[in-house]
Amino acid sequence: MDTLEKLKILSDAAKYDVSCSSSGSRRKNKSGGIGNASPSGICHSWADDGRCISLLKILFTNNCVYDCTYCINRRSNDVKRTSFTPREVADLTINFYKRNYIEGLFLSSAVMINPNHTMELLIRTVEILRNEYNFNGYIHLKGIPGADIKLIRKAGAYADRMSVNIELPSDESLKLLAPQKKKNEILKPMSNMKNGIIQYKEEKKKFRSTPKFIPAGQTTQLMVGATSDNDLKILKLSENLYKKFDLKRVYYSAYVPVLNHPTLPDINTPPLLREHRIYQADWLLRFYGYQADELLNVNKPNFDIDLDPKCDWALSNINMFPMEINRASYDELLRIPGIGVKSARRIVGARKYCQLSYDNLKKLGVVLKRAKFFITCKGKFYGDKSLDSNIIKQHLLFDKNKKDNSNQVTFMSLYPEIFGTNIVQKSDKI
């Protein structure tokens, strides 16, 4: 099989892995080398389905010894099988980079023969890129669960970012859909990478020449909707992963129904809106100081699909509102729907000089169509007369539906004969 055919098969097989954001690396080019991940990180773009498209994103092989029920590459699935050689992946990366097709490499793999064998092939690939081609561009490398810790450490010396995908958020779902995988084999390399990163940072303080070790940190991916695991279980797991392993990101992937099996959910489309709500909640965990138990609980284990998690939380805790905008602390401001990190900082800064009015908030970037139901300015309330959560929810949904029903006017919509007629309107998208 020629390299082009392999590329078609193995790039298509990699599209279900979403943990490929590439910011955060400071790897600089060296004399005589090519590529540079330092000046502004890797420039990346996203396809309409949310997939990252700026990296050469491929599997090393789709020859897998595992038979995970949900996976397109599972051993029992009838698909074309192939594998690259380390030299082929290195050559492809360099050639694509020189043509300005890509900014870096995202290399994942199925488990061929055993985890150590697969990990050694991945390491050999990045060794060629770094040592022979002097490639200093971005590399995101997959850590293979079950591989020897020494191999994980060795891979970390070449990669900018590494990830070990958890995929299934509970022991029960792991036993149901991927019984050959073991929880400790997934968590062990994550723990080792965390320790390696800490060691690197400590040694870097003493010795400037300390070799890099996964400078852009580690990530993982959780699947949404492949099992009956609720949003609370997924979010609690993410929260623990951030605290325990200091992950840069947890990515969420809506289950794509490409296979039929009695243990898989009977759905026709991926639960993308649910995935979106969990991403929003993840943002609240990392930047707004929320805890998973605040957002969801055993009585309400899933997010309201119609509202973003912050509005949902505010309506569930309506007794805490309205907050006076001129007295609320920074942390309290972050709890108000329509006020983000930037606008909260601006409010705190502006209050040093004057009492803020409703009109002042507009200039500070506050989204008042949401915030007005939860705040007072100089003691005056600008929302509905009632602080009834059901009434406020109706107002929020009415504004949301009004926005969804409006089509944005663009050159393409005004002049379809120039740009073609198959234009997807914004309102057609989820």
Side-chain angles (χ1 to χ4, degrees):
M1 186 181 293
D2 64 24
T3 305
L4 182 60
E5 183 67 18
K6 290 182 181 181
L7 185 61
K8 287 180 181 176
I9 295 171
L10 295 173
S11 60
D12 185 66
K15 67 184 179 185
Y16 301 104
D17 196 324
V18 299
S19 57
C20 64
S21 177
S22 55
S23 59
S25 176
R26 296 180 181 274
R27 185 184 296 275
K28 294 181 179 178
N29 194 11
K30 300 172 186 173
S31 176
I34 58 173
N36 195 331
S38 176
S40 57
I42 294 297
C43 298
H44 53 269
S45 59
W46 302 87
D48 287 343
D49 61 354
R51 313 294 174 186
C52 181
I53 58 173
S54 64
L55 308 176
L56 174 57
K57 183 181 174 185
I58 53 175
L59 295 190
F60 187 89
T61 178
N62 65 347
N63 280 306
C64 195
V65 296
Y66 292 158
D67 202 30
C68 305
T69 308
Y70 57 86
C71 183
I72 191 77
N73 300 310
R74 71 184 189 196
R75 185 183 60 206
S76 59
N77 198 27
D78 184 19
V79 294
K80 277 189 177 180
R81 305 284 177 175
T82 188
S83 302
F84 282 120
T85 65
R87 180 68 60 181
E88 285 175 329
V89 176
D91 287 345
L92 274 173
T93 304
I94 294 299
N95 287 328
F96 282 3
Y97 188 88
K98 287 181 176 178
R99 287 171 170 79
N100 203 28
Y101 295 163
I102 60 164
E103 304 288 341
L105 172 67
F106 176 88
L107 184 59
S108 184
S109 181
V111 180
M112 184 166 63
I113 300 179
N114 58 57
N116 281 343
H117 177 74
T118 310
M119 201 69 233
E120 285 171 352
L121 290 170
L122 298 183
I123 292 171
R124 179 58 189 148
T125 304
V126 291
E127 273 182 334
I128 295 172
L129 281 167
R130 295 293 193 213
N131 296 339
E132 293 188 26
Y133 293 131
N134 285 324
F135 180 69
N136 293 300
Y138 180 85
I139 295 178
H140 181 145
L141 196 64
K142 194 62 67 178
I144 305 299
D148 192 275
I149 293 305
K150 290 180 180 177
L151 295 174
I152 297 291
R153 281 295 185 106
K154 190 174 182 180
Y158 294 109
D160 292 284
R161 174 167 284 180
M162 289 188 69
S163 57
V164 180
N165 284 357
I166 293 179
E167 302 287 10
L168 299 167
S170 67
D171 287 338
E172 296 78 18
S173 53
L174 202 62
K175 290 174 184 173
L176 179 67
L177 299 182
Q180 293 168 294
K181 292 184 176 178
K182 308 298 177 191
K183 179 182 174 182
N184 65 326
E185 290 182 351
I186 298 171
L187 298 181
K188 193 174 177 182
M190 295 174 76
S191 176
N192 189 267
M193 283 191 277
K194 178 202 170 189
N195 294 335
I197 292 170
I198 292 172
Q199 183 181 345
Y200 162 68
K201 289 179 178 176
E202 290 300 317
E203 291 179 358
K204 183 71 177 174
K205 294 176 184 175
K206 301 175 183 175
F207 310 104
R208 293 185 62 184
S209 59
T210 301
K212 287 183 169 61
F213 183 82
I214 322 178
Q218 61 168 323
T219 64
T220 190
Q221 173 178 302
L222 295 175
M223 201 183 305
V224 176
T227 60
S228 58
D229 295 302
N230 56 43
D231 297 346
L232 175 60
K233 186 170 285 186
I234 294 172
L235 205 61
K236 287 282 288 181
L237 175 59
S238 299
E239 185 177 61
N240 289 330
L241 290 171
Y242 283 127
K243 290 178 179 176
K244 193 171 182 180
F245 300 115
D246 196 24
L247 295 190
K248 286 290 183 182
R249 286 288 303 272
V250 176
Y251 291 89
Y252 305 94
S253 175
Y255 165 67
V256 181
V258 292
L259 299 169
N260 294 317
H261 194 274
T263 57
L264 292 173
D266 184 18
I267 57 176
N268 296 321
T269 57
L272 293 176
L273 188 52
R274 185 183 171 199
E275 175 198 278
H276 179 59
R277 295 297 181 220
I278 295 176
Y279 264 119
Q280 290 176 317
D282 181 279
W283 196 262
L284 295 179
L285 294 184
R286 291 189 293 139
F287 301 109
Y288 286 71
Y290 284 82
Q291 305 292 319
D293 288 333
E294 291 180 278
L295 297 169
L296 296 168
N297 55 58
V298 290
N299 296 319
K300 185 185 177 186
N302 292 302
F303 289 112
D304 186 334
I305 289 297
D306 294 326
L307 290 173
D308 68 77
K310 191 175 178 183
C311 281
D312 196 19
W313 175 86
L315 292 177
S316 300
N317 295 273
I318 198 66
N319 58 306
M320 297 177 65
F321 300 97
M323 290 187 188
E324 170 54 45
I325 210 75
N326 289 293
R327 290 198 299 271
S329 68
Y330 174 76
D331 290 336
E332 288 173 332
L333 289 172
L334 287 179
R335 301 274 168 150
I336 300 172
I339 295 182
V341 173
K342 281 186 179 178
S343 49
R345 287 175 181 164
R346 288 171 181 165
I347 289 170
V348 172
R351 286 191 316 205
K352 295 176 183 175
Y353 304 98
C354 65
Q355 289 273 303
L356 298 178
S357 67
Y358 190 74
D359 289 334
N360 293 145
L361 295 180
K362 292 180 183 175
K363 297 174 182 175
L364 294 175
V366 175
V367 184
L368 287 171
K369 64 182 178 182
R370 287 205 294 274
K372 67 182 180 182
F373 299 107
F374 303 97
I375 61 171
T376 58
C377 294
K378 297 181 180 179
K380 187 175 180 181
F381 183 59
Y382 290 85
D384 194 86
K385 292 180 180 178
S386 169
L387 260 180
D388 186 290
S389 57
N390 291 323
I391 294 174
I392 295 175
K393 182 177 179 179
Q394 288 173 9
H395 280 294
L396 292 170
L397 291 178
F398 176 76
D399 289 341
K400 177 175 176 288
N401 292 334
K402 198 164 59 172
K403 179 183 176 184
D404 290 345
N405 290 331
S406 63
N407 291 330
Q408 185 177 2
V409 177
T410 65
F411 271 112
M412 288 190 289
S413 61
L414 289 174
Y415 304 105
E417 68 279 9
I418 298 176
F419 296 95
T421 55
N422 297 325
I423 299 170
V424 178
Q425 298 294 337
K426 188 176 180 181
S427 57
D428 295 331
K429 299 178 183 177
I430 294 175

